[in-house]
């Protein structure tokens, strides 16, 4: 129906493939080592979050021994301050954070891209109204707005997701508008207008595909920030389930005994670090590819 | 660099101001040859024209004369002797000292070559001071003199202006003043008039000619426009695929060209007199690295024989000071095979009462400025009307108003008797389908994220004409019609050349059987030979499909080859409308007359006895 789907449509039965051409920025960016490493890291942690609960040796809240026991024996990474298995809690603790981060980023991406493209395309007062509105939201630090929302409504998962999406959208919108502005002036947009193509189709069929590069870069950067904010909220005790297994919560719970049993805090820290490094590397790889630096092939 | 040895050799009596010998430029990383065996000499005060299509290496040669190679390229051999100094053997620091004083350069785009943050007076002063020994002396008098030389006001107020406060022609004059400031031995002018109007261009050209003659400066004038070169240069070098294929006196070259490529290039130039169809050159030049072992032009040459593909022809003399790189030059000159365009039979405009498109009292504004003042025009069925005017005359605004892309207009535009709404969005689907618009720049009018097939199919989908297999067939058929093949449907725009892109744009415009086609400067971004091919195609399609075509251009000679009637637009007013032949031969308005006389053309250049001599009125400018 929409032109966005054209990417996938080209007639399958007509045999010879189109001329060799990296149509997808993502695929082309995979030539860079940094992107490959990023994808490997993110892939590994996503896999861990998905299958973790099934392979965990214990439940997330099962007491397996004395509190703060060092690695060895029954608990590979030792036990936490309540005597629960650290490894099991790490395996359980990624899922909720990842789901929330992905949802928040996706929501922010959709809303931000729509607003930014519309602002760039309108070229009138609507542009100012939309973008100044975005500026107002951006005046608040992301974590503060999330804290206020959680404090007022309560630490529900949807509140956290919406709050982060709300603060992600303006940042995406700025990038989308900036990327779309030069495209709006190009004649193929005028050509579609002269044909009377509906506005939304011009926005998403003509404009969006030409801004995908910068949007993907920004999205992966926003993903990194979303993970960080969700982890920070959990660390501050504002996870949807304060007693559940969550990487951010674990750091806070076990930080007092860092000197005695470091793994309770260090294991989730490593997990979060690897995840954000991974998303950061992917974003960087796409950015470099989009900027044409991918000519230095294989250079990490 | 073997040029080092050359420099040590005695170069004989220094008659020539500049001598280029066996210049070689290659791609630094691969060693692929880009320019090879370029040799020529320039006397003091002489202007040598270098012509060629884009990619022929003409700019690369121009820059090599300054000892410069663009990033990725390397000057691999040869010598550029300025008097007895070989600029190629000098160190970078010494070259830098020569640039601006002994050699100088005037780039294509004056707007980007001037520093937007500095006043023009200061920029001129910098040029003088950079190469002047006595720093303390008063340069103001010198600057004033320079300004007078290029016919600009020399008062303080003008010198205090910033580049953006000047017109394009004034900016280019500042560029000329800077280039001539230190009385160099050689000036390289790289298409300095490409972006300018004909009238401004005529003024800039006469300034170049005067200054070069007056100060005995040798000038290399690089251009793709043969007509411009013909009005300016006494000798012309024609470049093709990195080599000089013909070199000789301008008049001789244009009247009895010895290389088939030169012939075809001349055949592709629209003429002011005598409506002849333009003939494009089929095929395109090979890029460096994939050039054939024999004559580079052989794959596109109709006179090709087996021997052409075996060995590279030498540049050989065929007349006094006339050399050609073709083994069949004599045959070419004998002239029987030269394919000059046939006279066109313009079909008579439809005799129907109702014009296909009627514009009445259209007033268009941009912001608060009124750019089109009460314009009325009518376009008969099956007729091609050319709308001619300089930039800023409002011709594109009129076109966009017709297409419904410009909002700020009042008056009436009616299509086949039915009045049209202002914005395309408010017009009926049928009205939108029947008016199609082809944009000036084929690099901007095709969505880079869509395949050619998707682009050409778009109107079919939007207007609900066809879909699925039927649409694919229509697209394939349309691509064939514009002399592409159905296989192009799977390509992306960035895999196409400029001419191919414009063909795709034409296919998109025609796929839904429009009745009115608006062509907005459709060839101005293209090479002369490609322009000829596109105009040929448009003319044929217009006649075959019975289209009414509004052909907008600033190129007056081009009008001859496409249109039956012409309307001349000046500052938002139609000053003259009439049959093409009559208006061009016997213009009724002073403005039209001026426009025609300012238009560089081969005929007038050759007819002008003094090729390369300033015309009588040039001194007045």
């Amino acid at each position: 129906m929409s032109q966005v789907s054209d990417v996938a449509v080209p007639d399958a039965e007509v045999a010879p493939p189109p001329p060799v051409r990296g149509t997808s920025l993502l695929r082309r960016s995979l030539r860079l080592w940094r992107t490959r490493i990023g994808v490997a890291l993110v892939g590994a942690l996503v896999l861990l979050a998905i299958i973790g609960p099934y392979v965990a040796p214990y439940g997330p809240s099962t007491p397996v021994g004395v509190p703060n026991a060092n690695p060895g024996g029954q608990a590979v990474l030792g036990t936490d301050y309540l005597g629960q298995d650290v490894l099991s809690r790490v395996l359980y603790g990624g899922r909720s954070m990842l789901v929330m981060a992905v949802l928040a980023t996706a929501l922010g991406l959709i809303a931000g891209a729509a607003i930014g493209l519309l602002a760039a395309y309108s070229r009138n007062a609507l542009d100012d109204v939309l973008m100044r509105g975005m500026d107002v939201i951006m005046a608040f630090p992301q974590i503060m707005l999330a804290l206020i929302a959680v404090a007022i409504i309560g630490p529900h998962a949807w509140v956290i997701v919406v709050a982060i999406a709300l603060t992600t959208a303006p940042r995406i919108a700025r990038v989308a508008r900036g990327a779309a502005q030069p495209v709006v002036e190009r004649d193929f947009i005028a050509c579609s207008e002269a044909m009377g193509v509906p506005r939304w189709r011009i926005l998403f069929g003509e404009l969006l595909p030409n801004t995908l590069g910068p949007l993907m870069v920004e999205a992966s950067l926003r993903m990194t920030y979303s993970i960080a904010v969700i982890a920070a909220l959990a660390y501050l005790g504002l996870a949807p389930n304060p007693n559940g297994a969550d990487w951010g919560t674990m750091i806070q719970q076990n930080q007092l005994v860092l000197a005695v049993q470091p793994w309770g805090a260090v294991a989730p820290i490593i997990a979060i670090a690897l995840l954000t490094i991974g998303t950061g590397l992917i974003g960087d790889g796409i950015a470099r590819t989009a900027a044409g630096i991918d000519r230095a092939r294989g250079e990490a | 660099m073997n040029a080092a040895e050359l420099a040590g050799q005695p170069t004989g009596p220094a008659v020539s101001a500049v001598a280029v010998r066996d210049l070689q430029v290659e791609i630094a990383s691969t060693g692929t040859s880009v320019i090879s065996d370029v040799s020529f000499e320039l006397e003091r005060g002489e202007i040598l024209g270098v012509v060629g299509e884009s990619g022929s290496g003409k700019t690369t040669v121009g820059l090599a004369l300054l000892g410069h190679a663009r990033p990725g390229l390397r000057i691999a051999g040869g010598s550029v002797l300025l008097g007895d100094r070989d600029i190629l053997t000098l160190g970078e620091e010494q070259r830098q000292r020569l640039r601006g004083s002994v050699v100088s350069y005037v780039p294509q785009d004056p707007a980007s070559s001037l520093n937007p943050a500095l006043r023009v007076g200061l920029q001129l002063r910098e040029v003088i001071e950079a190469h002047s020994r006595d720093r303390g002396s008063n340069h103001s008098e010198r600057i004033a003199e320079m300004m007078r030389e290029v016919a600009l006001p020399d008062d303080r107020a003008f010198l205090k202006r910033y580049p953006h406060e000047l017109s394009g022609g004034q900016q280019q004059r500042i560029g000329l003043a800077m280039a001539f400031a230190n009385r160099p031995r050689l000036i390289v002018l790289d298409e300095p008039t490409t972006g300018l109007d004909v009238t401004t261009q005529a003024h800039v050209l006469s300034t170049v000619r005067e200054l070069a003659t007056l100060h005995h400066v040798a000038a290399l004038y690089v251009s793709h426009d043969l007509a411009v070169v013909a009005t300016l240069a006494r000798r012309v070098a024609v470049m093709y695929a990195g080599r000089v294929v013909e070199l000789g006196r301008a008049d001789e070259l244009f009247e009895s060209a010895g290389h088939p490529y030169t012939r075809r290039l001349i055949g592709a130039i629209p003429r002011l007199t005598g409506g002849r169809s333009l003939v494009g050159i089929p095929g395109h030049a090979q890029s460096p690295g994939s050039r054939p072992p024999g004559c580079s032009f052989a794959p596109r040459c109709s006179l090709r024989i087996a021997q052409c593909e075996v060995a590279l022809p030498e540049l050989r003399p065929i007349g006094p000071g006339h050399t050609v790189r073709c083994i069949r030059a004599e045959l070419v000159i004998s002239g029987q095979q030269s394919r000059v365009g046939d006279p066109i039979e313009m079909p008579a405009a439809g005799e129907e009462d109702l014009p296909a498109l009627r514009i009445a009292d259209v007033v268009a504004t941009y912001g608060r400025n009124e750019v089109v003042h009460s314009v009325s025009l009518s376009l008969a069925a099956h007729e091609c009307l050319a709308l001619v005017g300089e930039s800023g005359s409002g011709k594109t605004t009129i076109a966009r108003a017709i297409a419904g892309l410009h909002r700020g207009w009042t008056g009436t535009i009616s299509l086949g008797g039915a009045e049209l709404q202002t914005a395309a969005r408010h017009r009926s689907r049928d009205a939108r389908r029947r008016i199609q618009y082809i944009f000036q720049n084929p690099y901007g009018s095709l969505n880079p994220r869509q395949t050619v097939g998707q682009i050409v199919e778009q109107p079919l989908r939007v207007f609900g004409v066809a879909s699925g297999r039927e649409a694919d067939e229509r697209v394939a058929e349309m691509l064939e019609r514009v002399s592409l093949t159905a296989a192009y449907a799977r390509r992306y725009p960035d895999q196409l050349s400029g001419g191919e892109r414009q063909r795709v744009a034409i296919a998109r415009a025609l796929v839904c059987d429009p009745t009115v086609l608006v062509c907005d400067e459709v060839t101005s971004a293209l090479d002369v030979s490609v322009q000829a091919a596109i105009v040929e195609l448009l003319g044929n399609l217009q006649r075959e499909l019975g289209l009414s075509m509004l052909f907008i251009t600033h190129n007056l000679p081009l009008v001859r080859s496409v249109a039956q009637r012409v309307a001349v637009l000046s500052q938002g007013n139609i000053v003259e409308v009439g049959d093409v032949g009559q208006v061009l031969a016997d213009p009724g308005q002073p403005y039209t007359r001026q426009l025609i006389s300012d238009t560089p053309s081969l005929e007038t250049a050759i007819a002008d006895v003094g090729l390369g001599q300033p015309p009588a009125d040039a001194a007045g400018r």
Side-chain angles (χ1 to χ4, degrees):
Chain A
M1 184 60 193
S2 89
Q3 288 186 327
V4 187
S5 65
D6 279 0
V7 184
V9 170
D11 22 322
E13 76 272 7
V14 183
V20 184
R21 179 195 155 93
T23 39
S24 147
L25 191 58
L26 249 177
R27 202 178 316 146
R28 261 189 298 166
S29 70
L30 274 176
R31 288 186 205 149
L32 292 179
W33 276 109
R34 62 183 69 233
T35 330
R36 292 184 194 170
I37 294 170
V39 168
L41 283 176
V42 172
L45 282 149
V46 168
L47 199 70
L48 186 131
I50 293 171
I51 62 165
Y54 304 108
V55 298
Y58 306 101
S61 311
T62 320
V64 293
V66 289
N68 301 327
N70 276 313
Q74 297 199 305
V76 180
L77 289 178
T79 59
D80 70 355
Y81 79 120
L82 289 178
Q84 298 153 344
D85 181 33
V86 169
L87 177 66
S88 300
R89 283 177 72 81
V90 167
L91 289 174
Y92 271 94
R95 193 184 271 185
S96 67
M97 164 188 269
L98 265 175
V99 169
M100 281 199 291
V102 167
L103 276 181
T105 312
L107 270 179
L109 180 66
I110 293 166
I115 291 169
L117 293 181
L118 185 61
Y121 182 66
S122 68
R123 284 169 281 186
N124 56 24
L126 183 64
D127 182 10
D128 284 326
V129 171
L130 287 174
M131 294 320 289
R132 293 301 81 76
M134 297 290 103
D135 286 349
V136 169
I137 301 178
M138 263 201 289
F140 296 96
Q142 231 182 335
I143 182 92
M144 213 178 89
L145 216 85
L147 274 176
I148 294 171
V150 170
I152 295 173
I153 310 173
H156 310 293
W158 68 267
V159 177
I160 295 171
V161 166
V162 169
I164 293 175
L166 190 70
T167 51
T168 298
R171 291 161 173 90
I172 301 265
R174 280 196 95 132
V175 171
R177 176 171 172 272
Q181 256 175 342
V183 182
V184 164
E185 301 302 328
R186 298 185 67 177
D187 283 338
F188 65 86
I189 300 290
C191 186
S192 300
E193 283 172 8
M195 271 186 239
V197 177
R199 269 194 195 93
W200 65 271
R201 274 185 100 150
I202 293 182
L203 283 187
F204 296 105
E206 307 274 341
L207 215 45
L208 181 64
N210 283 290
T211 54
L212 273 184
L215 275 183
M216 278 160 77
V217 174
E218 186 64 16
S220 63
L221 184 66
R222 286 298 132 211
M223 182 73 192
T224 313
Y225 278 87
S226 301
I227 293 166
V229 172
I230 292 170
L233 284 176
Y235 176 80
L236 295 173
L238 298 173
N241 176 4
N243 296 317
D246 184 291
W247 292 346
T249 320
M250 285 174 72
I251 301 170
Q252 190 252 335
Q253 289 165 340
N254 296 307
Q255 62 183 353
L256 287 174
V257 292
L258 257 177
V260 184
Q261 206 300 69
W263 289 107
V266 169
I269 287 175
I270 291 174
I272 293 171
L274 290 182
L275 184 60
T276 49
I277 289 171
T279 51
L281 282 177
I282 294 174
D284 194 34
I286 300 173
R288 277 163 191 261
T289 309
I293 309 176
D294 58 334
R295 264 167 263 156
R297 262 178 88 164
E299 199 182 313
Chain B
M1 210 181 270
N2 60 3
E5 303 131 40
L6 277 169
Q9 293 166 7
T11 50
V15 263
S16 53
V18 183
V20 180
R21 290 269 163 273
D22 301 324
L23 187 65
Q24 315 279 344
V25 180
E26 58 185 34
I27 295 172
S29 55
T30 58
T32 309
S33 174
V34 175
I35 299 291
S36 32
D37 314 324
V38 170
S39 305
F40 52 81
E41 288 181 6
L42 275 167
E43 288 164 32
R44 289 163 62 92
E46 186 189 0
I47 301 176
L48 174 71
V50 176
V51 293
E53 295 175 273
S54 41
S56 62
K58 53 191 193 303
T59 296
T60 309
V61 168
L63 291 172
L65 260 55
L66 307 170
H68 178 73
R70 276 177 288 187
L73 296 182
R74 183 178 62 205
I75 299 175
S79 62
V80 176
L81 293 172
L82 299 160
D84 50 3
R85 265 177 300 189
D86 183 353
I87 192 167
L88 300 183
T89 59
L90 300 176
E92 188 51 37
E93 205 173 307
Q94 286 169 296
R95 278 186 206 173
Q96 210 165 2
R97 222 172 303 142
L98 290 190
R99 289 182 194 142
S101 61
V102 177
V103 290
S104 61
Y105 181 70
V106 181
Q108 179 170 354
D109 181 6
S112 64
S113 66
L114 296 174
N115 186 336
L118 299 181
R119 299 175 195 278
V120 292
L122 181 63
Q123 299 193 47
L124 286 168
R125 186 177 293 270
E126 271 182 347
V127 176
I128 299 175
E129 282 176 355
H131 300 282
S132 163
R133 297 216 183 93
D134 40 308
R135 300 211 165 260
S137 71
N138 186 10
H139 294 301
S140 301
E141 188 42 48
R142 183 76 191 83
I143 290 172
E145 189 194 331
M146 284 158 59
M147 296 296 276
R148 284 193 296 273
E149 278 178 1
V150 295
L152 286 175
D154 57 357
D155 56 292
R156 292 178 66 87
F158 192 86
L159 289 171
K160 283 202 150 179
R161 291 205 196 167
Y162 287 99
H164 71 265
E165 294 171 307
L166 307 181
S167 71
Q170 286 173 327
Q171 288 174 346
Q172 197 55 285
R173 277 154 191 276
I174 296 281
L176 286 179
M178 287 164 82
F180 279 95
N182 293 303
R183 305 279 176 261
R185 183 181 276 266
L186 168 70
I187 288 192
V188 176
L189 301 119
D190 190 359
E191 309 220 19
T193 64
T194 297
L196 305 177
D197 281 321
V198 282
T199 308
T200 324
Q201 167 171 291
H203 291 188
V204 170
L205 289 180
S206 65
T207 309
V208 169
R209 193 160 38 202
E210 270 171 62
L211 287 174
T213 326
L214 185 65
H215 300 302
H216 306 294
V217 176
L220 189 79
Y221 194 96
V222 174
S223 177
H224 70 279
D225 193 336
L226 269 170
V228 167
V229 169
T231 55
L232 191 66
R234 188 171 296 149
R235 287 195 306 143
V236 175
V238 180
M239 289 202 63
Y240 186 81
R243 287 195 171 86
V244 172
V245 294
E246 187 157 10
L247 177 67
R249 290 233 331 261
D251 51 350
E252 207 174 298
L253 209 82
F254 295 129
E255 275 167 357
S256 57
H259 198 282
Y261 176 67
T262 316
R263 285 266 147 151
R264 302 300 297 265
L265 212 52
I266 293 167
I269 301 174
R271 304 291 176 102
L272 264 176
T273 52
R276 285 188 297 128
S277 66
L278 301 177
V279 184
I281 309 177
H284 51 86
Q286 303 293 313
S287 54
S290 56
R291 288 172 185 162
C295 173
S296 322
F297 188 64
R300 302 168 77 183
C301 185
S302 55
L303 293 172
R304 176 185 61 234
I305 52 174
Q307 209 187 328
C308 293
E309 286 160 335
V310 178
L312 179 73
E314 289 299 312
L315 205 56
R316 63 194 178 92
I318 56 162
H322 187 175
T323 50
V324 175
R325 198 184 282 279
C326 176
I327 52 174
R328 314 196 73 193
E330 284 76 15
L331 185 71
V332 177
I333 291 173
S334 70
Q336 277 133 20
Q337 71 306 309
S338 73
R339 194 178 151 217
V340 186
D342 315 310
I344 324 180
E345 284 288 310
M346 287 288 180
E351 293 297 314
E352 296 145 61
D353 308 328
L354 211 54
L357 186 79
R358 213 168 67 82
I359 303 170
D361 303 319
V362 165
V363 176
T365 52
Y366 253 114
R368 293 212 187 114
N369 297 332
E370 194 175 297
V371 290
V372 172
H373 320 289
S374 190
V375 161
S376 299
L377 275 176
S378 83
L379 180 64
H382 318 304
E383 175 195 49
C384 177
L385 170 69
L387 187 57
V388 181
E390 295 183 274
S391 55
S393 60
K395 52 192 193 304
T396 292
T397 308
I398 293 176
R400 292 179 77 93
I402 294 170
L405 291 171
H406 185 76
R407 301 275 165 85
W409 62 271
T410 56
T412 42
I413 297 179
S414 43
L415 176 71
E419 202 172 307
L420 290 175
Q421 296 283 327
T422 312
R425 211 172 284 293
H426 302 135
R427 293 179 184 173
S428 71
R429 181 194 266 196
D430 194 49
R432 291 194 311 253
R433 180 185 65 76
R434 284 169 59 195
I435 299 182
Q436 288 294 321
Y437 192 97
I438 303 177
F439 291 84
Q440 171 172 9
N441 185 353
Y443 292 87
S445 66
L446 307 179
N447 189 338
R449 294 277 168 171
Q450 291 178 352
T451 62
V452 166
Q454 291 170 330
I455 289 168
V456 178
E457 191 204 346
Q458 191 185 20
L460 294 173
R461 211 171 42 216
V462 172
F463 300 127
V465 175
S467 61
R469 193 165 293 267
E470 196 195 338
D472 291 343
E473 279 165 19
R474 298 264 309 242
V475 168
E477 185 191 321
M478 208 59 234
L479 287 174
E480 304 272 354
R481 269 216 116 121
V482 296
S483 311
L484 298 172
T485 59
Y488 274 85
R490 275 190 229 104
R491 300 221 194 153
Y492 284 87
D494 64 2
Q495 297 167 315
L496 307 181
S497 71
E500 287 170 332
R501 285 169 191 239
Q502 203 57 292
R503 285 171 196 273
V504 172
I506 293 171
R508 170 176 61 187
L510 296 181
V511 75
C512 279
D513 304 322
T515 52
V516 174
L517 188 62
V518 181
C519 302
D520 183 11
E521 298 261 21
V522 289
T523 62
S524 68
L526 306 173
D527 268 326
V528 167
S529 64
V530 182
Q531 159 175 294
I534 293 286
V535 166
E536 203 181 353
L537 173 73
L538 271 176
N540 289 342
L541 287 170
Q542 187 245 333
R543 287 184 285 270
E544 280 167 32
L545 305 175
L547 295 169
S548 302
M549 187 153 86
L550 184 65
F551 191 89
I552 293 165
T553 182
H554 67 274
N555 188 340
L556 212 48
L558 197 55
V559 169
R560 259 255 135 86
S561 306
V562 275
Q564 290 112 21
R565 285 199 308 140
V566 58
V568 182
L569 194 66
S570 168
Q571 300 182 338
N573 289 305
I574 298 274
V575 293
E576 188 162 3
V577 188
D579 284 340
V580 169
Q582 191 221 321
V583 171
L584 292 191
D586 181 22
Q589 294 294 321
Y591 177 79
T592 317
R593 233 169 286 153
Q594 182 69 39
L595 208 57
I596 292 173
S597 75
D598 283 338
T599 302
S601 78
L602 280 181
E603 303 94 308
T604 51
I606 295 166
D608 259 0
V609 208
L611 256 182
Q613 304 285 320
D617 64 334
R621 284 169 191 152

